[in-house]
Amino acid sequence: MSGSRSGPVAGQGSGRHLLIVDDDDRIRELLKEYLAREGYRVTGAAHAAAARRLMELIEFDLVVLDIMMPGESGLELTSWVRNKAVLSRTPVLLLTARGEADDRVEGLSRGADDYMTKPFDPRELVLRIEAILRRTGGKPLTPREIRLGTAMFDMERLELTRDGAPLRLTEAEAQLLKTLALHAHAPVERMDLSSDTADITGRAVDVQVTRLRRKLEADPKNPRYLQTVRGIGYMLAPD
């Protein structure tokens, strides 16, 4: 992947939720970081099995999918998406180091919406994603406010209220809640939530989650809205 962030395409994502599937950890993390800066919500998966589990739980606006992966290939996963009724309209953009015409034809014949060959300029990737989303429509944009039972969180003002009355949040709690809200109904890795702090263990995040649950949940020990995703991190599940 080459290139740098460019002003004309910056912020295009508008909260659209993308799934990045690539067995190369470096490429996957670089794409997650770059696309997040462009305004997208981004979830990553290292292989097809993990991607299947995520797609069965979460509705994504678009899937960016590497073809050459160990085990189930990106082509096979594309066919699975197209043959599964609830996912069949999810756009798929294929990434691969294989640029031969036959490979492109096979990818498109399996139902992919577009095809890019590695290495690529991430600015072009953003433009292609936007073009696909314009053609397919996508889901409504992320709302400014999210409802959590009787509580409401304003993501722009970082304000939490219950029945109109303000609930005090620390700056760290507000930022954590915003990050989870931007990835609503999708698990966020514990270490991603602690990436902006000096805490390399994630323990500070656990403390903040406990405090937020006391403010959000009717029963903090059995949370409805701020859920633990075993082995990954946390997920916010608003109404």
Side-chain angles (χ1 to χ4, degrees), residues 31-232:
L31 283 177
K32 285 173 64 177
E33 180 181 350
Y34 185 86
L35 291 168
R37 290 204 309 264
E38 296 298 321
Y40 295 95
R41 294 185 291 152
V42 188
T43 299
H47 47 75
R52 284 175 182 255
R53 290 195 296 270
L54 285 165
M55 283 188 279
E56 288 174 338
L57 292 170
I58 303 163
E59 184 180 0
F60 292 98
D61 289 285
L62 182 142
V63 180
V64 179
L65 176 58
D66 183 41
I67 285 183
M68 299 295 291
M69 295 186 292
E72 185 179 1
S73 72
L75 293 174
E76 293 169 321
L77 185 58
T78 299
S79 295
W80 176 80
V81 170
R82 288 291 169 261
N83 291 325
K84 197 170 181 63
V86 295
L87 299 174
S88 61
R89 297 176 65 86
T90 303
V92 174
L93 190 157
L94 292 175
L95 298 177
T96 183
R98 298 166 60 181
E100 292 82 358
D102 287 347
D103 294 329
R104 295 196 298 272
V105 169
E106 183 176 3
L108 295 171
S109 69
R110 299 262 187 145
D113 295 85
D114 204 349
Y115 190 112
M116 287 189 68
T117 303
K118 300 176 182 177
F120 56 87
D121 188 323
R123 295 171 297 179
E124 181 182 357
L125 175 64
V126 170
L127 292 172
R128 287 180 181 247
I129 287 172
E130 284 298 311
I132 294 172
L133 291 174
R134 283 196 299 272
R135 292 198 305 267
T136 59
K139 304 197 303 292
L141 299 181
T142 302
R144 168 179 161 172
E145 296 181 326
I146 61 167
R147 181 172 293 281
L148 304 153
T150 60
M152 185 76 73
F153 181 60
D154 186 318
M155 288 190 281
E156 291 185 9
R157 296 183 177 181
L158 299 181
E159 293 177 350
L160 181 66
T161 58
R162 174 173 286 115
D163 298 325
L167 296 172
R168 183 182 177 278
L169 293 176
T170 66
E171 182 178 350
E173 290 168 356
Q175 290 297 336
L176 175 62
L177 188 54
K178 180 178 180 178
T179 300
L180 290 166
L182 288 171
H183 295 80
H185 300 291
V188 182
E189 293 181 19
R190 223 157 137 262
M191 298 314 298
D192 286 345
L193 292 170
S194 62
S195 60
D196 294 332
T197 73
D199 173 30
I200 61 172
T201 66
R203 291 296 302 166
V205 170
D206 296 339
V207 172
Q208 291 159 13
V209 166
T210 298
R211 291 173 177 168
L212 279 172
R213 282 174 172 163
R214 291 173 185 159
K215 298 172 183 180
L216 292 172
E217 306 286 355
D219 182 358
K221 293 185 178 180
N222 295 286
R224 155 66 178 84
Y225 298 107
L226 213 174
Q227 301 175 5
T228 299
V229 182
R230 189 177 298 277
I232 299 177

